[in-house]
Amino acid sequence: MAEQQPEAMTDEQVSAWVREHFQAANKYLAEQGIISDQILSKDSRYLAPYVAVWKFNTQDKKTLWVINGDVPTDAIGEKAAKDARDAMRYFALRWQMQAEGVLQQAQNDPEKQRYAHYLVNRAENLYQLSTSKDLWQQQA
């Protein structure tokens, strides 16, 4: 059976998705004790309804990349990646390494094994997105 492609989102649905995920990224930072000061929109990228990579300046004068969407929400310092595409690659590698560690420790824990496989799946998909020339032509 062929995999069904999701219906294209309307501009209104994309705007709602972006707003929702921007708010979720801010909430994630707040839960980590980080207060955002400014979003750097020109450096942020999103592919609704899959993934968003946000670049934030924080009140304590740091700059962070935050990723969310149909992936684990995560954050890294600005120095880890030069742009959103590079940040995607970084998160993909990080999740692969995390999954490997979880699998080594969770040999008898099906729940942790499922989480590790989820991380691997998201990491592989994210890496594929980061290598897609068509998605990144305007950034070159």
Side-chain angles (χ1 to χ4, degrees):
M1 182 173 229
E3 200 173 304
Q4 202 170 356
Q5 292 285 21
E7 281 187 39
M9 295 175 78
T10 65
D11 288 346
E12 187 176 297
Q13 289 171 319
V14 170
S15 292
W17 187 92
V18 169
R19 191 171 38 258
E20 175 186 336
H21 286 80
F22 171 72
Q23 290 169 349
N26 260 313
K27 181 180 178 196
Y28 173 80
L29 289 176
E31 289 168 350
Q32 306 303 311
I34 301 166
I35 307 300
S36 68
D37 185 42
Q38 177 185 19
I39 180 73
L40 302 172
S41 298
K42 67 177 179 39
D43 295 327
S44 300
R45 298 286 183 269
Y46 58 86
L47 180 60
Y50 303 109
V51 66
V53 179
W54 309 99
K55 191 173 186 182
F56 285 97
N57 282 335
T58 65
Q59 287 188 344
D60 60 355
K61 307 295 182 221
K62 294 184 177 151
T63 304
L64 302 172
W65 293 104
V66 177
I67 191 167
N68 67 358
D70 188 25
V71 297
T73 301
D74 206 348
I76 56 174
E78 172 189 36
K79 290 188 168 114
K82 69 181 184 330
D83 56 29
R85 185 180 193 178
D86 206 29
M88 282 182 150
R89 285 190 200 114
Y90 185 96
F91 286 118
L93 178 59
R94 178 166 151 160
W95 296 343
Q96 286 277 7
M97 290 170 40
Q98 284 177 342
E100 190 175 311
V102 169
L103 284 173
Q104 288 176 2
Q105 295 174 358
Q107 299 192 353
N108 296 322
D109 188 335
E111 190 62 34
K112 286 185 180 176
Q113 287 180 356
R114 273 192 293 280
Y115 178 69
H117 291 294
Y118 166 79
L119 276 180
V120 167
N121 176 271
R122 292 310 184 259
E124 289 172 352
N125 290 341
L126 197 60
Y127 186 78
Q128 286 177 352
L129 285 175
S130 77
T131 61
S132 171
K133 287 183 172 52
D134 293 341
L135 286 178
W136 301 98
Q137 282 182 343
Q138 79 279 7
Q139 192 179 4

